[in-house]
Structure formats: C-alpha cells, structure tokens
Amino acid sequence: MKKLSILVVLGSLLFIMSTALVGSAVAADSLPKLADLKTGEWNSIAPGGETICSYGTPYQFFVRPAAISSDKLMIHFEGGGACWDAETCAPDYKFPPDDTGKPLFKRDVPDGQMAGYTAGLFDFSNVENPVSHYNTVFVPYCTADVHMGSTTHDYQTKSGEKYTINFQGFTNASAVLDWTYANFDKPSEVFITGISAGAIGQVIHTPYIMNHYKDSQVVQFADSYVGVSARGWMGFKEWGALPNVAKDIVPAYADLTEDNFSLARLYKGMAPAFPNNMFSEFTSYLDGTQIFFYYLTGGGATPEEAGGNFVTGKQSIISSLTANLPNFRAYQSWGSQHGITNIDDFYAYQVNGVRLRDWLADLLDGKTPRNVICTNCTTPELYSK
C-alpha cells in the first residue's frame, strides 16, 4: 500500500512537470549539441516548447557547422512575406489582379527546405563566397510577423470562417538564439543577416545578439528591406512587436511607441549603442516586392503612385541613416531585384564600379567601405572578370 502511494505521488509529480512544460520554451541544453551535428551539411533541430508556426504547425531551425573548423558565425533570418489583419492573414486571401490565392506569407518550415539554398552566400563551395568558412545558423520564418511577434490573434474570414494566427516569430527566433548562445561560446566574428521579412526581423534581434557577443566583431546586413511604411499602418502593433525591443540594452528605445515604431528608429537607436560594430543594408532602386507591400499597406492610391512614394521615402531613410550614423553603410543598386544574397547575381552586381560581393567582404574584414548609391539606377551594371 505504501509502495502504491509513492507511485501515485510520483505519477502526480510527473504529470505536473509535463503540464508545466507545455507552452514553455525547451531548454537549449536539452537539444542536440553542436558536436552532435554533421559538419558541412544542414542539420535540423526542433526546439519545441512555445515555438510554433502561424497556423499551428511545428517549428524547426537549421544549422550548418563549417566543413573546416572555424570560429566564425553567420546567423541568417529567412524572409517570406507578412500579414497584419483578418483579410491579409485569411487562408483564402487573394490579391487582384493576380487572384491566384498565393499566400502573402510563408506558413510552414518543410523538412527539406534547405535544399533550395545553394546559391549566393549559401554556395559554400564558391571560393569567392566571403562566408564560405562560417558556421551558419538559419532562422526559418513561418509566422507572418517578420520575426518580431509574440502574440496570437483570432480572426474571421468574410465568409464567417474563424481561424487563428500565431504571431510568434520573436518567440521562435529567440529559441534559435538561445541554442546558438549555448553552442557558439566566443566566435571571433558574427555576421547577422536576413532577406526581405528577415531583413526587417533581424534588426529587432541584433541588439540582443551584439550584447551577448560583446567580445566579437559583429556585422549586421539587411538584404532588401529599407523600412518604408505607409502612414497609419499598424502592423507592428498587430504583431505585438514593441514589448520585444531591447529597451534594457538600447537606451534610445525608451522613446519607442506603437505610433512611432519604425525600422529607421531601431537603427538610429542601436547603432550608437554599439559603436564598434557595423550596420548595413542593400536595396535595389525599384524593388518590386517592397513597392508591392508598401502599396498593400496604403502607400499610394495606385501601384504607380506607391512606387513613386516608395522611392522618395527610401531615399529619405537612406540619407538620414548614412548622414547620422557613422557605423552605418548603405548599398543601393540599379533595377528592381528583391533579395540578392541568396542568388548568384550577388557575385555579378556592381554599382559605380564597386562590386557588391567585394563591398560586403570588406565589411566582414573589418573595413569601412563607402556608401554606394546608384546614379543611373535603371541601367544594369555587372561585374566581369
């Protein structure tokens, strides 16, 4: 009888413990360690806990230890669109005139997704790749909130169908970073980057990363998102982004509100807080995806008007950041390309005789290249050996 009572108590304790773990972050030390992973290839890790994708599917991230032993680290934040209200987040949302029903945002993290990352900075066999010898942590995106959110919303479609969106991008990325901190103790160099939604999202995580790796040389680089927002658009509020900014690390963030929250303000706060690190971004002159989302969020009455407003807003932001932040650099190319570091054109693009690949390599080498802004922004300029 006494033995049975002990078993009952133990069973109750196990139940309580397992219940407590539901909805809590799984400790990084309970996941596979860096030493357990295969070098020179992608390894998937499922952090569990509170991590989740927008429609409730499981989250996972990917790590590629360098093929040759290295103490350098790249943290890449994936892009993939966004949504911010009952209409744009709806499962049946269609945007005319395309009307294909293609979602505005990436919703899952498929097991084999890294098979599609073989070009640009992800071509680790390319001798010109400036990060070919870096260990790489890939932060997937599936939450429609540009890696910034930590809230959940219940919505309803126009036809009355109820659905839930998990804006938990900040939660997911934080779990990835916890594992990263536990497994990469003191990298000599850290490269923080991301494309599109990842270019926005990594900015909110950058102060946390830089604060953790205080003794490392850190370079931040945003690929294809400048942060031109339509007046009155409140997507950041919908995602619950404001509580996640590093106010305890960046003093200037104390003045951030849901009304003045912007990518430019994040840069203007964190760059002075980390004067020994470099901040940078790439954009093309007429980035079609940035213009599309700017129009969709109210940037103009027509796509053409939104395009004109985007160019004006973009130039204003770039000028303000480069003029006021000595450790910020911008590279604006000709054309309309959206996303450059994940395609082989990364090695071909140049502006005013300055090759993008070389410009970024200089940043990673601790140099301070000049700002590169296209003057003839509609004429292609390509590097040739």
Side-chain angles (χ1 to χ4, degrees):
M1 188 72 178
K2 187 175 181 181
K3 184 176 181 181
L4 179 61
S5 299
I6 293 174
L7 290 174
V8 169
V9 171
L10 286 174
S12 299
L13 286 172
L14 288 172
F15 174 78
I16 292 170
M17 290 172 65
S18 63
T19 303
L21 285 173
V22 174
S24 64
V26 173
D29 57 9
S30 69
L31 299 176
K33 307 294 190 296
L34 180 62
D36 301 327
L37 306 182
K38 296 179 179 179
T39 60
E41 61 182 82
W42 291 107
N43 301 260
S44 65
I45 299 176
E50 296 178 344
T51 63
I52 192 171
C53 289
S54 57
Y55 279 90
T57 54
Y59 184 75
Q60 62 181 322
F61 64 96
F62 303 94
V63 181
R64 183 189 183 276
I68 300 174
S69 180
S70 171
D71 66 349
K72 298 181 180 182
L73 172 64
M74 176 169 72
I75 304 172
H76 178 90
F77 288 78
E78 185 186 22
C83 74
W84 49 88
D85 56 26
E87 180 182 10
T88 55
C89 294
D92 59 353
Y93 178 79
K94 297 179 181 180
F95 180 77
D98 188 9
D99 205 37
T100 60
K102 182 179 180 181
L104 282 179
F105 57 95
K106 184 173 178 286
R107 299 179 176 182
D108 298 287
V109 184
D111 292 337
Q113 82 160 49
M114 298 314 297
Y117 282 83
T118 59
L121 294 178
F122 297 96
D123 181 0
F124 296 100
S125 64
N126 190 332
V127 295
E128 287 206 299
N129 186 349
V131 296
S132 62
H133 54 297
Y134 281 52
N135 300 286
T136 303
V137 175
F138 188 95
V139 187
Y141 176 57
C142 62
T143 48
D145 59 0
V146 301
H147 297 279
M148 287 189 175
S150 56
T151 190
T152 298
H153 282 302
D154 294 321
Y155 292 122
Q156 184 171 303
T157 66
K158 291 180 179 179
S159 61
E161 177 187 358
K162 295 181 179 180
Y163 68 99
T164 299
I165 290 289
N166 298 288
F167 293 126
Q168 295 291 340
F170 186 84
T171 305
N172 292 352
S174 296
V176 179
L177 292 175
D178 285 344
W179 183 92
T180 303
Y181 300 151
N183 287 274
F184 294 96
D185 186 25
K186 295 180 180 180
S188 61
E189 299 176 18
V190 179
F191 178 41
I192 310 166
T193 186
I195 301 172
S196 190
I200 313 172
Q202 47 95 8
V203 174
I204 203 172
H205 295 278
T206 289
Y208 294 107
I209 299 171
M210 289 185 171
N211 188 62
H212 184 84
Y213 291 124
K214 293 178 180 177
D215 297 325
S216 303
Q217 173 189 305
V218 186
V219 172
Q220 174 272 336
F221 177 73
D223 178 358
S224 298
Y225 213 92
V226 178
V228 185
S229 296
R231 182 173 297 178
W233 180 74
M234 296 298 287
F236 295 116
K237 179 180 180 180
E238 190 77 358
W239 299 327
L242 183 60
N244 297 326
V245 301
K247 289 188 175 182
D248 55 334
I249 298 172
V250 180
Y253 286 177
D255 296 330
L256 279 176
T257 67
E258 289 176 339
D259 292 324
N260 66 20
F261 194 102
S262 71
L263 202 63
R265 283 182 176 270
L266 293 180
Y267 274 119
K268 288 180 178 179
M270 68 180 174
F274 297 95
N276 296 323
N277 293 332
M278 286 300 298
F279 300 81
S280 58
E281 67 182 11
F282 164 89
T283 186
S284 63
Y285 182 69
L286 285 174
D287 185 317
T289 299
Q290 290 191 64
I291 292 173
F292 167 76
F293 275 98
Y294 183 54
Y295 169 60
L296 202 59
T297 56
T302 65
E304 292 74 20
E305 181 182 352
N309 292 341
F310 168 78
V311 169
T312 301
K314 169 175 59 66
Q315 298 303 114
S316 175
I317 290 173
I318 292 175
S319 296
S320 178
L321 295 178
T322 54
N324 293 290
L325 304 175
N327 55 335
F328 181 92
R329 291 294 181 271
Y331 189 111
Q332 178 181 267
S333 80
W334 46 269
S336 58
Q337 177 63 38
H338 183 73
I340 191 70
T341 52
N342 64 335
I343 60 176
D344 283 335
D345 279 347
F346 167 72
Y347 300 99
Y349 267 50
Q350 70 176 29
V351 171
N352 303 334
V354 179
R355 189 183 179 201
L356 176 59
R357 179 266 169 210
D358 296 341
W359 185 86
L360 182 56
D362 282 347
L363 279 172
L364 294 173
D365 286 341
K367 300 175 183 178
T368 308
R370 61 184 174 87
N371 295 303
V372 178
I373 309 296
C374 61
T375 52
N376 188 348
C377 298
T378 58
T379 301
E381 182 182 348
L382 298 173
Y383 170 80
S384 61
K385 295 182 180 179

